[in-house]
Amino acid sequence: MIEAQKVICKNQGVDTVFPEAYETLGIALSTLGEKTINGLRHPFENGTCGWYIWCGEDLPEDPEFFDSMHVSHISEYLPSIEKYLALPVGYRFLVTETYEDIWYDETLKNV
């Protein structure tokens, strides 16, 4: 997986920022199964790696929407997105079975 993460970052022209297996991310478990998968990376804080992952079109506004999970467990729930998790703070992704979009969102660095 590390090689796939390096390729994603190289294609974006950014350094890899690997999350540690013991760090946590936010994941909306209640949305699993919807076809669109979204992720965004906020700055790290309090043992988190900054990633928030949800499925579906809309980002929920309720902070209780996300469950906390160690990075090491993401492969059990959404193995297809593991390759994006080394993107640095400020990056987002949106993927489906046939589409991939990765972009930098300046607003995420100052949240």
Side-chain angles (χ1 to χ4, degrees):
M1 188 52 57
I2 289 174
E3 286 307 313
Q5 291 172 330
K6 287 179 181 179
V7 168
I8 292 281
C9 291
K10 181 180 178 185
N11 289 344
Q12 294 299 310
V14 297
D15 292 332
T16 54
V17 182
F18 298 107
E20 297 292 338
Y22 61 84
E23 291 178 312
T24 59
L25 53 77
I27 183 168
L29 293 173
S30 64
T31 65
L32 293 179
E34 294 189 37
K35 298 214 183 276
T36 303
I37 305 171
N38 295 275
L40 58 83
R41 194 169 196 182
H42 285 293
F44 323 129
E45 65 177 358
N46 302 323
T48 72
C49 67
W51 279 109
Y52 288 85
I53 312 294
W54 73 98
C55 302
E57 298 297 322
D58 299 317
L59 173 62
E61 293 190 25
D62 178 6
E64 300 299 317
F65 187 74
F66 291 98
D67 300 289
S68 182
M69 175 185 295
H70 285 108
V71 171
S72 62
H73 297 291
I74 194 67
S75 63
E76 298 169 31
Y77 294 88
L78 291 170
S80 65
I81 62 110
E82 258 187 303
K83 63 185 175 186
Y84 303 104
L85 297 185
L87 287 163
V89 170
Y91 271 82
R92 298 179 70 145
F93 65 83
L94 180 150
V95 294
T96 68
E97 292 177 358
T98 59
Y99 179 78
E100 173 187 79
D101 193 8
I102 302 168
W103 70 99
Y104 179 74
D105 182 344
E106 178 69 35
T107 64
L108 296 177
K109 289 200 90 157
N110 300 315
V111 174

